[in-house]
Amino acid sequence: MKNILVLCTGNSCRSQMAHGYLAHFANPDTVKIYSAGVETHGVNPLAVAIMKEDGVDISKHTSNNVDEYFDIPFDYVITVCDHAKERCPFFPTQAVKLHHNFPDPSKVKGSTMEVIESFREVRGMIKEYCHDFIIKNELD
């Protein structure tokens, strides 16, 4: 079993979406996905809605702190924002650390439609990254 942790600042949007897509694309018999934040902000309802549009249900996800997972031997730790990368704790494993800074859609100011469109754009970026990661690492 391969263990993958997706780490973000608040485990609210980007890490939750990546968690959803990695679980969607990966073989559940051989891969376990976790997500966490260096803080916890709760799962963003708009992230849940935007993922549901694409057929991925993250409504039962919880916002977890990275400290909860120190005893898990991760194979990969993927940071999805620069802040989390800078604050990424040491894991006592040989985990491969990867980083991709995705824009934070929850920080977008504008009309409701502009915010929703930002979430959709970031969702598309995360979906592509996660799909490519699973294929490249033969985890499907």
Side-chain angles (χ1 to χ4, degrees):
M1 181 68 72
K2 297 282 186 187
N3 292 312
I4 301 170
L5 174 65
V6 184
L7 186 61
C8 197
T9 300
N11 195 216
S12 176
C13 294
R14 295 165 288 182
S15 55
Q16 293 290 347
M17 289 191 275
H19 179 163
Y21 278 125
L22 289 169
H24 177 76
F25 293 127
N27 180 342
D29 296 328
T30 59
V31 180
K32 176 98 172 125
I33 311 297
Y34 300 82
S35 64
V38 294
E39 305 162 8
T40 56
H41 297 163
V43 181
N44 186 301
L46 195 48
V48 173
I50 292 299
M51 291 298 287
K52 187 175 182 175
E53 282 183 356
D54 200 32
V56 178
D57 184 5
I58 63 169
S59 64
K60 295 190 179 20
H61 286 198
T62 57
S63 184
N64 299 84
N65 189 286
V66 67
D67 293 341
E68 298 173 43
Y69 297 134
F70 275 129
D71 60 339
I72 297 172
F74 288 105
D75 298 284
Y76 298 94
V77 175
I78 304 169
T79 51
V80 293
C81 71
D82 288 342
H83 184 249
K85 181 182 181 216
E86 292 165 10
R87 291 188 52 196
C88 187
F90 170 76
F91 283 96
T93 69
Q94 297 299 315
V96 174
K97 290 186 179 179
L98 303 168
H99 176 67
H100 189 97
N101 186 49
F102 294 100
D104 186 349
S106 70
K107 301 287 188 217
V108 170
K109 303 292 183 218
S111 71
T112 301
M113 284 312 298
E114 289 169 326
V115 173
I116 290 170
E117 190 52 39
S118 175
F119 269 83
R120 286 179 179 142
E121 286 177 29
V122 173
R123 177 189 68 192
M125 292 175 208
I126 291 172
K127 181 178 184 178
E128 181 179 352
Y129 177 88
C130 291
H131 180 261
D132 292 349
F133 171 83
I134 294 296
I135 297 301
K136 178 182 175 190
N137 293 286
E138 299 178 357
L139 301 171
D140 52 344

